[in-house]
Amino acid sequence: MDKLIITGGGPLDGEVRISGAKNAALPILAATLLASSPVMVRNVPHLHDITTTMELLGRMGVELVVDEKLNVEVNPTTINSFVAPYELVRTMRASILVLGPMLARYGESDVSLPGGCAIGSRPVNLHINGLRAMGADIEVEGGYIRARAKRLKGTRLFMDMVTVTGTENLLMAATLAEGTSVIENAAREPEVVDLANFLISMGAKITGHGSDTITIEGVDELSGSEYSILPDRIETGTYLVGAAISGGRVKVKNTRPDLLDAVLSKLQEAGGKVSTGEDWIEVDMQGRRPRAVDIHTAPYPAFPTDMQAQFSALNAVAEGSGTITETVFENRFMHVQELVRMGANIRVEGNMAVINGVEKLQGAPVMATDLRASASLVLAGLVAEGETVVDRIYHIDRGYECIEEKLQQLGAHIRRKPD
């Protein structure tokens, strides 16, 4: 397995271009299954999870053509299998997103129960219950969700808890259902909105996306379209934290400031000078050490759980003490022990981490346990004295495109070492 070797040093300084959002690209690629003609998806990030999704579609007989700019043309009309096998689904939870569109378009779908990051229980029962409410016959046997339906029926769907993938699966399924569906307590994340906009580009009739109540009027057919995926707000936030943690200045381009209000507010609280334009954000610490901040994660538009590990690293070297309260996933402090190995002063009490900032972290061998945890260890390595070796970085390759190259552009001393 590859490793990242980081020598801590000076502040990050420079500009970096943000890739398309992984968490929008995955459901949008799944949604291409709904189309009756080819679809062109632009601004697709080059990530391991994207490769896995494309391999999954290819395994089902879908034709995909990728150009040098990573635009993906998908021809779903060649599909010849309605099975998403365990060996692909086990590596990535988002594979369950083919369940709804495949069932709605073709009347059958056999999807392995998913795997992915070990950051807490993310039950699939909300997906299953919602599809059953729309008239699907579903059995869970042999580790597979086996769903059948002649044509789904529109209905009122109340989500017991806010779930992004659950909202997305039912949203996709409802586009081809007979009649009107209403999803209540729906996820409001920008990636859900992006999926809805993509579906609308294919002819879906959707209103209310971005609110907690989405209404879908089913249509008989969705046609191919051309669509560009929105920028990745978590990648954006990670590089901006890189500026804050290192006392540097980073300008991110090809992004959207309106998606990061909660994160930018905390970066200002940490002492950063935040400037924004239509498609760029700059954080300038002017050489100062960051101030500790208190974080409380919650579904969008509140502070994103996918940014709390990065702010844990920031608080570790900040002036003062801060608390991180995690309300979304129960196992999301696995990076803490690795940061402690680097000299961080962190105490975990239930779903809260109390962090007292220290002046310096020390380089050490550390191990990534999930996608965002690995980003926090890279950030910590950038400001640690000596050398930090981050192992098991296949996690980071699931969500960050060319992270070492982008950090090198900002002046970081980081390199990838194949095992």
Side-chain angles (χ1 to χ4, degrees):
M1 282 181 281
D2 290 2
K3 298 178 173 64
L4 286 175
I5 316 293
I6 308 163
T7 304
L12 297 185
D13 187 18
E15 299 183 350
V16 66
R17 181 190 166 281
I18 297 304
S19 303
K22 176 190 88 132
N23 289 341
L26 296 175
I28 284 173
L29 286 171
T32 62
L33 292 170
L34 292 161
S36 58
S37 53
V39 180
M40 174 62 82
V41 185
R42 302 192 182 279
N43 200 33
V44 178
H46 183 44
L47 300 169
H48 191 263
D49 276 8
I50 299 294
T51 306
T52 301
T53 300
M54 289 169 60
E55 187 181 345
L56 173 59
L57 293 174
R59 188 79 68 89
M60 297 188 314
V62 174
E63 289 181 354
L64 300 105
V65 179
V66 185
D67 69 17
E68 70 281 356
K69 293 183 178 176
L70 291 174
N71 300 314
V72 182
E73 185 177 15
V74 185
N75 182 3
T77 65
T78 57
I79 191 168
N80 55 29
S81 167
F82 306 106
V83 178
Y86 172 70
E87 66 266 24
L88 286 176
V89 175
R90 71 186 174 90
T91 65
M92 188 183 67
R93 294 194 61 87
S95 303
I96 197 173
L97 287 166
V98 301
L99 176 65
M102 203 153 47
L103 179 64
R105 175 80 171 90
Y106 298 102
E108 62 179 291
S109 185
D110 292 349
V111 179
S112 170
L113 290 165
C117 282
I119 56 171
S121 106
R122 300 192 270 189
V124 299
N125 61 307
L126 295 173
H127 305 239
I128 294 170
N129 292 343
L131 292 170
R132 278 181 175 150
M134 296 171 78
D137 178 19
I138 301 179
E139 301 293 333
V140 180
E141 56 184 17
Y144 276 78
I145 303 164
R146 304 188 190 278
R148 300 291 183 271
K150 282 187 176 170
R151 186 176 183 189
L152 296 172
K153 302 278 193 277
T155 189
R156 183 170 292 273
L157 301 159
F158 179 78
M159 312 298 280
D160 288 345
M161 58 183 281
V162 178
T163 159
V164 172
T165 54
T167 299
E168 290 168 340
N169 233 335
L170 298 180
L171 171 62
M172 290 186 282
T175 59
L176 292 179
E178 184 181 335
T180 300
S181 298
V182 179
I183 304 175
E184 296 180 330
N185 199 27
R188 300 164 58 187
E189 270 71 5
E191 296 78 15
V192 175
V193 176
D194 210 38
L195 171 63
N197 287 335
F198 170 67
L199 293 167
I200 290 167
S201 79
M202 294 198 298
K205 295 182 177 178
I206 301 169
T207 56
H209 44 300
S211 77
D212 60 4
T213 303
I214 304 175
T215 302
I216 309 102
E217 188 183 327
V219 297
D220 291 334
E221 185 179 67
L222 295 176
S223 58
S225 73
E226 189 173 310
Y227 192 81
S228 186
I229 289 166
L230 91 169
D232 195 311
R233 62 194 170 103
I234 305 303
E235 186 194 21
T236 298
T238 301
Y239 287 112
L240 295 176
V241 171
I245 197 172
S246 68
R249 180 199 68 86
V250 171
K251 182 177 184 178
V252 293
K253 301 185 295 185
N254 291 75
T255 192
R256 278 182 45 191
D258 61 304
L259 305 181
L260 285 132
D261 288 344
V263 171
L264 297 183
S265 171
K266 288 300 175 182
L267 287 168
Q268 283 180 314
E269 209 178 301
K273 180 176 180 288
V274 178
S275 311
T276 62
E278 187 180 344
D279 63 352
W280 61 269
I281 308 169
E282 182 179 275
V283 169
D284 189 353
M285 292 298 289
Q286 297 169 327
R288 294 190 299 268
R289 183 182 172 193
R291 295 192 293 268
V293 294
D294 294 332
I295 298 292
H296 188 281
T297 69
Y300 189 86
F303 192 92
T305 180
D306 279 356
M307 283 299 304
Q308 70 92 333
Q310 297 89 314
F311 273 82
S312 298
L314 179 123
N315 275 354
V317 297
E319 290 178 3
S321 62
T323 59
I324 309 264
T325 306
E326 174 58 58
T327 73
V328 180
F329 292 122
E330 66 270 25
N331 292 344
R332 213 158 199 189
F333 284 132
M334 293 189 288
H335 51 283
V336 164
Q337 281 310 115
E338 301 302 298
L339 290 172
V340 167
R341 284 168 48 76
M342 299 176 72
N345 181 348
I346 307 175
R347 184 176 77 257
V348 175
E349 300 174 357
N351 70 332
M352 183 172 72
V354 181
I355 307 173
N356 295 301
V358 297
E359 288 219 8
K360 281 286 180 188
L361 295 175
Q362 304 297 320
V366 291
M367 186 172 67
T369 51
D370 65 66
L371 171 51
R372 306 306 171 183
S374 55
S376 74
L377 300 178
V378 170
L379 291 170
L382 294 174
V383 295
E385 288 184 333
E387 187 175 88
T388 298
V389 179
V390 184
D391 207 349
R392 291 176 68 182
I393 62 164
Y394 59 86
H395 286 295
I396 211 163
D397 291 334
R398 290 183 48 228
Y400 291 90
E401 185 175 33
C402 308
I403 190 169
E404 70 276 18
E405 293 171 24
K406 290 187 177 184
L407 285 170
Q408 286 164 5
Q409 290 171 27
L410 300 173
H413 299 287
I414 179 172
R415 61 189 171 88
R416 182 179 292 254
K417 182 185 176 188
D419 227 12

